[in-house]
Amino acid sequence: MSGLTFNDPFGSLGDFIRGFLLGLGLPAPWVTFIQFLLGAVVLIGATMGGGAIVLIWIERKVGARFQDRLGPNRVGPFGIFQNFADAVKLITKEDITPSGADKTVFNLAPLLVVMSVVGLWAVMPFAPSLIGADLNVGVLYLLSIGGVGTLGIMLAGMSSNNKYALLGALRAVAMLVSFEIPMALVLLVPTMLAGSMGTVQIVESQSTWFVALAPVAALIFFISSVAEIGRAPFDLLEAESEIVAGYNIEYSGMKFGLFMVSEFLHAFTVSALTAVLFLGGWRGPGAETYPLLGLLYFLIKSGAVYFIIIWFRFSSPRVRIDQMMALNWKFLTPLALAVVVVTAVVQKLAESLGWPMTPSLLGANVLLALLTLAVLRSHARAMRQRAESQGEPQPGPIAGAVRGA
Amino acid sequence: MTLLQVFFLVTAAVMLVGSWLVVTSRRLVHAGLWLILVMAGVAAMLVILEASFLAVVEVLVYIGAISILIIFAVMLTRRVMDDSGPQSTPMWWVAGLVSLLLLGGLLAVFARMPSLLVSSAELPADQATLLSDLGRSLVDANRFVLPFELASILLLAAMVGAIFIARPEAGVEGGEDK
């Protein structure tokens, strides 16, 4: 048991705790169990407590700048303590259960939603030796945990005994289930390129970042992740001007707080996932020797993607539900299928014919993107001509969706 | 008692109680929720058996897709908030008969097993080869390629049928005029 070393701080910390517990005379399997439990508690504490509050502050500050405001600036320097005040307010608010609500389900729903987000962090490789569980089916695990979140949102809408909440839940489920399909398809691309579904191995095989090998796949993953977290421009599950507040309208106090925290956390989580799957995760100069540097790279990359998500949120209008469906089913899903086929074929061809891997995959992706743009262009022109000949000024749903995208 | 046995007993107890509540709860949505709990129990069992791929697929397919579909269907077809209709259909005796037959079949299978107390076989440490073997067996002409392709054709047929049923007729109000 060496002490804390700078080369592998996380591994030696784990060894230290293990040695300490074994020294207390606990049997080995119990020690493993306690170690995992401890890791989970620390992870949840760090992400929920520290992470979420900082994230919400960042989002409020950055979002305010996008809208030419100052954002929180009264409580503490740069308003950094504003969220602590808000958290205290949320906790002390009255916790109301609406009459006629399905009480158990009503209380269960926010927990499921938070669980689905925090669960994603279990397979997140923060640094070379820092990961909750290196599952060999990590990518599938990510998808399956997403389904639990959908369930939570649906239960929230259903148990509230409120028409608006039910409408919001219906919209949410339609959207989440739809966007899971291009996302699942596109997740096959990093799996194929890395030859593994484990997140650790996906990061380790990114000597060139996968965003260079599969830019189209990365873009589809990013768009469908933004839809999965239900943010603008895909925030029609809580469209204030249409259905008041959607599935969480009846929630108050900390139960609403849980929904809110999980939304912000989910946004950062999908940023981190994009970084892990397509931007090389913790990889960077010197990351192998100094894991802390790897953690820093991971946070910088995730932060960059998170910034783009905030940018998206504060600068794009909400899409209509038919536009959202058209975007998903007529655009993203076929394109995702094409990307999977093209990547598989080009990768095998490059392997067997000895072509250089990166240029051939990149070239195939550029060709695919150009082809898609040409198809979209001709489609939009056809829609426009039809609209002109029928004398209706509105563009059709797909043309509008494409313009919105 | 090892930790693994504690996990197994707790999971088994939760699953038994859950499956009892699936058939006895008065609200259909609650029955669906208990069903999800039982499926989560199945996933936990698969984790105990070190079949992580099957466990994840169980969560993905059964909890993520099928149970959501069930609850969705209940929400769309019945009045969710005050649904406490009759708990049994007039055909309940057919269902009972089928269940009894299934139970008999399962008992017959169990009776032919050498012992219920055999410990589970050790899995090879390298799970990745097991997984890739599973993948290969689905496209191997000597193994399961035929059932696999048949299942895909069945799903394709179901999808085409669903699209055909859901397609609005041309000219009808609410339908897209193509």
Side-chain angles (χ1 to χ4, degrees):
Chain A
M1 300 302 129
S2 60
L4 290 180
T5 58
F6 195 61
N7 277 347
D8 188 12
F10 311 116
S12 52
L13 186 63
D15 283 345
F16 171 73
I17 294 172
R18 188 169 184 84
F20 174 71
L21 288 173
L22 282 173
L24 289 182
L26 284 169
W30 283 94
V31 170
T32 314
F33 178 64
I34 290 174
Q35 261 191 312
F36 272 103
L37 205 64
L38 207 64
V41 168
V42 169
L43 188 65
I44 293 171
T47 51
M48 289 292 289
I53 282 185
V54 173
L55 283 179
I56 294 175
W57 178 76
I58 290 174
E59 173 133 6
R60 287 168 87 168
K61 272 310 227 195
V62 175
R65 288 294 169 180
F66 278 123
Q67 294 178 338
D68 202 12
R69 298 183 282 117
L70 285 175
N73 60 354
R74 286 282 175 267
V75 193
F78 306 107
I80 199 162
F81 296 125
Q82 182 67 51
N83 286 313
F84 292 93
D86 288 350
V88 169
K89 187 190 80 175
L90 272 178
I91 291 169
T92 51
K93 266 191 173 178
E94 189 188 355
D95 181 27
I96 302 167
T97 307
S99 66
D102 197 339
K103 205 163 179 214
T104 328
V105 182
F106 186 77
N107 291 329
L108 182 70
L111 296 183
L112 278 179
V113 172
V114 170
M115 195 191 89
S116 78
V117 178
V118 177
L120 292 175
W121 288 88
V123 293
M124 196 78 77
F126 294 95
S129 60
L130 186 63
I131 181 172
D134 180 16
L135 291 183
N136 59 354
V137 285
V139 169
L140 268 184
Y141 171 83
L142 294 176
L143 283 173
S144 66
I145 290 291
V148 178
T150 315
L151 187 69
I153 287 179
M154 190 157 70
L155 293 182
M158 190 197 68
S159 62
S160 297
N161 194 19
N162 182 312
K163 295 280 191 292
Y164 289 115
L166 194 61
L167 275 177
L170 287 175
R171 281 184 177 195
V173 174
M175 186 163 98
L176 298 182
V177 169
S178 305
F179 275 92
E180 232 166 58
I181 291 168
M183 195 164 164
L185 283 171
V186 143
L187 279 176
L188 284 175
V189 172
T191 308
M192 277 190 295
L193 293 176
S196 164
M197 279 201 251
T199 42
V200 170
Q201 230 184 317
I202 286 179
V203 170
E204 273 167 3
S205 55
Q206 291 189 58
S207 46
T208 43
W209 294 0
F210 285 166
V211 73
L213 298 178
V216 179
L219 189 66
I220 296 177
F221 179 78
F222 181 71
I223 293 176
S224 45
S225 320
V226 173
E228 282 280 303
I229 53 182
R231 292 201 145 195
F234 301 102
D235 61 343
L236 28 82
L237 55 161
E238 43 185 301
E240 299 93 338
S241 48
E242 297 162 25
I243 49 173
V244 194
Y247 61 91
N248 58 19
I249 177 174
E250 290 288 357
Y251 285 87
S252 62
M254 204 50 214
K255 272 188 260 171
F256 170 73
L258 285 179
F259 278 118
M260 200 181 71
V261 161
S262 76
E263 192 212 307
F264 283 99
L265 208 53
H266 203 173
F268 189 72
T269 310
V270 297
S271 321
L273 281 180
T274 314
V276 164
L277 294 171
F278 291 101
L279 298 180
W282 46 259
R283 290 187 78 103
E288 263 107 3
T289 35
Y290 302 109
L292 277 177
L293 209 54
L295 184 64
L296 185 68
Y297 290 140
F298 170 78
L299 287 176
I300 289 174
K301 287 172 186 172
S302 318
V305 183
Y306 187 52
F307 180 79
I308 299 177
I309 289 186
I310 301 177
W311 192 357
F312 246 55
R313 179 185 175 188
F314 283 97
S315 52
S316 47
R318 183 183 303 136
V319 297
R320 283 202 317 262
I321 191 157
D322 59 330
Q323 292 170 336
M324 182 272 289
M325 283 294 182
L327 173 71
N328 180 45
W329 290 106
K330 296 180 185 169
F331 178 62
L332 287 182
T333 306
L335 187 60
L337 276 170
V339 164
V340 169
V341 172
V342 165
T343 310
V345 169
V346 171
Q347 194 195 9
K348 283 293 161 204
L349 272 181
E351 260 173 27
S352 54
L353 298 180
W355 297 344
M357 187 64 88
T358 313
S360 40
L361 274 172
L362 187 62
N365 268 280
V366 169
L367 271 183
L368 188 66
L370 289 179
L371 195 70
T372 314
L373 284 180
V375 169
L376 282 181
R377 204 183 143 97
S378 69
H379 181 77
R381 184 178 298 152
M383 293 295 282
R384 209 160 45 234
Q385 275 170 358
R386 215 183 64 180
E388 274 164 13
S389 67
Q390 286 179 352
E392 62 180 77
Q394 295 282 327
I398 177 74
V402 167
R403 244 174 251 160
Chain B
M1 199 187 294
T2 64
L3 203 58
L4 209 57
Q5 280 168 322
V6 176
F7 275 136
F8 172 78
L9 287 178
V10 170
T11 317
V14 167
M15 279 173 73
L16 279 178
V17 173
S19 45
W20 173 255
L21 285 166
V22 171
V23 284
T24 53
S25 50
R26 289 217 152 255
R27 284 189 180 179
L28 259 184
V29 175
H30 283 184
L33 285 178
W34 288 117
L35 186 64
I36 290 171
L37 184 70
V38 175
M39 286 162 174
V42 173
M45 286 287 182
L46 290 170
V47 170
I48 292 175
L49 291 172
E50 295 185 28
S52 57
F53 174 72
L54 288 181
V56 169
V57 168
E58 170 86 21
V59 175
L60 181 66
V61 174
Y62 284 92
I63 297 180
I66 290 186
S67 59
I68 285 187
L69 203 66
I70 291 175
I71 292 190
F72 215 27
V74 173
M75 274 166 70
L76 287 177
T77 50
R78 304 182 72 139
R79 302 173 71 187
V80 195
M81 304 300 171
D82 43 22
D83 177 31
S84 52
Q87 275 187 299
S88 51
T89 68
M91 298 287 277
W92 63 270
W93 55 275
V94 181
L97 205 65
V98 172
S99 310
L100 273 181
L101 276 177
L102 193 63
L103 180 67
L106 280 177
L107 283 180
V109 170
F110 279 136
R112 286 171 60 187
M113 270 167 63
S115 163
L116 282 178
L117 297 173
V118 286
S119 56
S120 60
E122 276 293 314
L123 282 177
D126 190 12
Q127 290 252 321
T129 52
L130 277 180
L131 253 183
S132 60
D133 187 53
L134 178 69
R136 268 175 230 286
S137 72
L138 288 179
V139 288
D140 192 340
N142 296 322
R143 291 161 84 181
F144 303 115
V145 72
L146 192 65
F148 181 67
E149 290 301 326
L150 275 180
S152 352
I153 290 174
L154 188 69
L155 287 176
L156 186 67
M159 197 167 77
V160 172
I163 292 173
F164 182 75
I165 293 173
R167 218 168 90 121
E169 288 172 41
V172 178
E173 196 181 344
E176 248 182 303
D177 46 342
K178 284 268 154 113

